[in-house]
């Protein structure tokens, strides 16, 4: 590989809940994609910009590709997330297929088939190797997964513990075309602070609400204003609506005496202040919009795109 800088786009693909967003955050060096232990946490296509001495990777984080058995939200949401994931394969230079160490199922195969159909060079990242109880079983697992499947390279990694990431970056940069970085060294995403604020609030809904309720919630930021602050330099005033589909869900999100909503807002505000490096004043409301997750027109007004 020559010493010329390389710059290109990589689609990060995989079934839900394998750690795609955690891996993108680790490579970017900042939290731009929200995470939780629930499938379908990522609902939007999001660009993470990772700049290294040898070049730049534009990492397209995607919703998990899933079949009918993986569906939790409305049918329209399910279709839109699958289209967003598959649409990420257009115009990229390579794909990174992320799987969980020790597990390969029908949805992993579905993701691989989508990549093979797109004709992209595919790198396999076997994530969560730090959690593998039987390390000796990892080699036969890798042999089975790679049999009859053409991968440019295979990298056992732990996104959470940052294991194996340097070698992964070297491989990915080697697949990129020569060229100057498309973004500045300080840029980490193509999404606005307004978008990121809404996602950080939705992350707390995913983490703090039980059972199926998080899949019936979404966030709309109605106001995002910046003003000078004598203490922190900048203060962001943010008004956000948490949409649910039924009155009973609204009561659960608010909690007894508003306690749960206050806790959700507090944790989201702390995450925003950490990411924006500024003081945040956050106000939240919970409103009902019946059937929003199964209405493509409603989804588009709420900021969802293919």
């Amino acid at each position: 590989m020559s010493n010329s800088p390389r710059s290109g786009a990589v689609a990060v693909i995989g079934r839900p809940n394998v750690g795609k967003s955690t891996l993108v955050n680790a490579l970017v060096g900042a939290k731009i994609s929200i995470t939780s232990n629930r499938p379908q946490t990522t609902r939007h296509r999001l660009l993470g910009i990772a700049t290294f001495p040898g070049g730049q990777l534009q990492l397209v984080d995607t919703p998990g590709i899933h079949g009918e058995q993986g569906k939790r939200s409305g049918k329209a949401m399910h279709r839109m997330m699958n289209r967003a994931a598959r649409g990420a394969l257009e115009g990229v230079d390579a794909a990174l297929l992320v799987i969980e160490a020790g597990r390969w199922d029908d949805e992993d195969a579905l993701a691989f088939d989508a990549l093979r159909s797109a004709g992209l060079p595919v790198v396999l990242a076997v994530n969560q190797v730090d959690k593998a109880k039987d390390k000796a079983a990892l080699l036969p697992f890798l042999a089975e997964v790679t049999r009859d499947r053409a991968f440019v390279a295979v990298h056992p990694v732990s996104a959470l513990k940052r294991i194996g990431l340097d070698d992964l970056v070297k491989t990915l940069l080697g697949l990129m075309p020569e060229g100057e970085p498309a973004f500045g060294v300080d840029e980490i995403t193509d999404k606005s602070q307004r978008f990121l604020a809404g996602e950080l609030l939705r992350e707390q809904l995913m983490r703090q609400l039980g059972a199926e309720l998080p899949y019936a919630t979404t966030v709309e930021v109605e106001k995002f204003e910046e003003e000078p602050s004598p203490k922190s330099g900048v203060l962001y005033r943010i008004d956000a609506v948490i949409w649910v589909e039924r009155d009973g869900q609204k009561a659960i999100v608010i909690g007894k005496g508003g306690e749960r909503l206050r806790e959700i807002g507090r944790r989201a505000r702390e995450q925003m202040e950490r990411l924006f490096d500024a003081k945040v004043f956050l106000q939240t409301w919970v409103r009902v919009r019946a059937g929003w997750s199964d209405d493509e027109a409603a989804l588009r007004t709420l900021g969802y795109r293919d």
Side-chain angles (χ1 to χ4, degrees), residues 106 127 163 179 249 287:
D106 290 344
N127 195 22
I163 297 170
Q249 296 167 345
R287 296 175 187 158

Side-chain angles (χ1 to χ4, degrees), residues 18-19 23 27 96-101 123-131 138 142 154-169:
V18 293
L23 181 55
L27 294 174
L96 180 62
L97 176 62
V98 184
I99 66 171
E100 179 184 341
V123 175
L124 180 66
V126 184
N127 195 22
Q128 302 174 16
V129 293
D130 55 308
K131 294 182 180 179
L138 195 55
L142 293 177
V154 178
H155 288 276
V157 302
S158 168
L160 200 59
K161 299 290 181 65
R162 303 189 62 84
I163 297 170
L165 300 191
D166 290 344
D167 288 340
L168 175 61
V169 167

Side-chain angles (χ1 to χ4, degrees), residues 28 46 48 60 64 76 85 100 128 176 189 194 220 222 231 251 256 260 271:
V28 171
L46 182 147
V60 187
E100 179 184 341
Q128 302 174 16
M176 299 300 104
T189 183
R194 185 188 192 108
E220 181 179 19
E222 291 192 324
K231 291 185 178 180
K256 185 178 181 180
R260 178 175 281 121
Q271 290 288 332

